[in-house]
Amino acid sequence: MAEKLKLLITAGPTREALDPVRFITNRSSGKMGYSLAAAAVEKGFSVILVSGPVDSSVIPPEGLTEFVPVVSAAEMAEAVKSRFPAMDAAILCAAVADYRPKIMETNKIKKKEGAFFLELERTEDILFSLGQMKTSAQRLIGFAAETENLAENALGKLKRKNLDWIAANQVGLPGQGFQSDRNEITLYGVNGETVQLPLTEKKLLARQMLDVIFQ
Ligand code: PMT
């Protein structure tokens, strides 16, 4: 029997703490990444899902090889980079925070008179790191969430991060992208391929994406 394809998927947002009760995050619900994980299990792949904190209504699919819950970008980077060498492919769908507070206060920050300035520092770009680690036998797929210049920005990320495919989606529009059950994607491949996947349910879109990438 042929070996199952080993696929790592990231999903959901990360949370970057300021103090014990506050954090910076984004609107990712995890629906797109969890749909990809479900579609990959359906296809008979061995799937590891690394997920940031999502609502309890977004449930990991049955049949995963491993489910790894994480909170921060640093935790996600550690979980992903330690597992990637044993994978055939990875799809990074998580909306990872690009910045985190430089200092995580141990006590709750008290309000004072006047403005409050928060210093942020860069988090690790996990997708970029995987692009550096990738062997010629591994496939690496990223997402590009853009509010403008979708194609240009996505193609820049495809090249800069050494990807095989990038899934470009327009965000900031009602009824697609973050939180919605539906989405629209253009897949760009490293060999110049462009595949339009029109607006549809994320569950169906995930199957269509995997059919193109792993045909
Ligand atoms: O979760 P949903 O509500 O269903 O919404 C789905 C989605 C809109 C979040 C999803 O379709 C999507 O676009 N995910 C990627 C979001 C994102 O962070 O895109 P980006 O263009 O900022 O990042 C580019 C790529 O680098 C992504 O693959 C991202 O996972 C990765 N990245 C980004 C920053 C970072 N520090 N490390 C990363 O690995």
Side-chain angles (χ1 to χ4, degrees):
M1 213 174 77
E3 274 266 305
K4 283 183 170 188
L5 185 129
K6 298 190 193 75
L7 176 63
L8 185 150
I9 296 172
T10 68
T14 65
R15 287 181 184 172
E16 312 302 326
L18 278 74
D19 71 11
V21 297
R22 303 181 178 101
F23 53 82
I24 296 174
T25 191
N26 60 66
R27 296 180 191 279
S28 172
S29 64
K31 287 177 188 170
M32 189 69 238
Y34 280 54
S35 297
L36 283 164
V41 170
E42 240 175 61
K43 260 181 133 29
F45 297 169
S46 164
V47 182
I48 296 179
L49 176 60
V50 179
S51 175
V54 298
D55 189 85
S56 58
S57 61
V58 182
I59 299 162
E62 277 180 32
L64 290 175
T65 299
E66 191 184 7
F67 177 69
V68 189
V70 296
V71 176
S72 66
E75 284 176 23
M76 185 171 280
E78 204 283 318
V80 169
K81 288 196 299 178
S82 60
R83 287 167 178 81
F84 185 58
M87 296 291 118
D88 298 309
I91 305 179
L92 301 203
C93 182
V96 185
D98 288 320
Y99 294 91
R100 67 173 163 228
K102 190 158 185 196
I103 295 166
M104 160 27 184
E105 299 290 348
T106 43
N107 293 313
K108 186 181 166 209
I109 300 165
K110 293 286 186 196
K111 68 172 170 294
K112 295 191 189 121
E113 287 305 313
F116 174 75
F117 295 94
L118 179 65
E119 190 174 358
L120 303 177
E121 64 181 9
R122 283 288 306 269
T123 57
E124 177 173 349
D125 186 328
I126 307 166
L127 186 58
F128 181 85
S129 299
L130 295 195
Q132 303 292 299
M133 292 167 68
K134 189 177 83 159
T135 66
S136 56
Q138 289 178 307
R139 272 172 286 178
L140 183 58
I141 300 96
F143 269 74
E146 309 292 342
T147 54
E148 56 185 350
N149 304 330
L150 184 63
E152 190 188 331
N153 289 334
L155 288 166
K157 286 176 186 173
L158 176 77
K159 196 163 175 217
R160 206 165 51 248
K161 302 195 187 197
N162 191 24
L163 309 179
D164 297 279
W165 290 93
I166 192 149
N169 52 182
Q170 186 83 30
V171 292
L173 299 176
Q176 67 184 85
F178 284 88
Q179 290 177 331
S180 172
D181 288 337
R182 289 156 75 82
N183 206 6
E184 180 180 7
I185 274 173
T186 307
L187 278 172
Y188 296 102
V190 69
N191 299 317
E193 307 93 327
T194 302
V195 183
Q196 304 273 4
L197 300 175
L199 187 65
T200 188
E201 299 295 313
K202 284 179 177 170
K203 288 186 175 130
L204 176 59
L205 192 63
R207 289 190 208 117
Q208 294 171 340
M209 267 185 70
L210 297 186
D211 285 346
V212 173
I213 295 166
F214 300 105
Q215 57 194 333

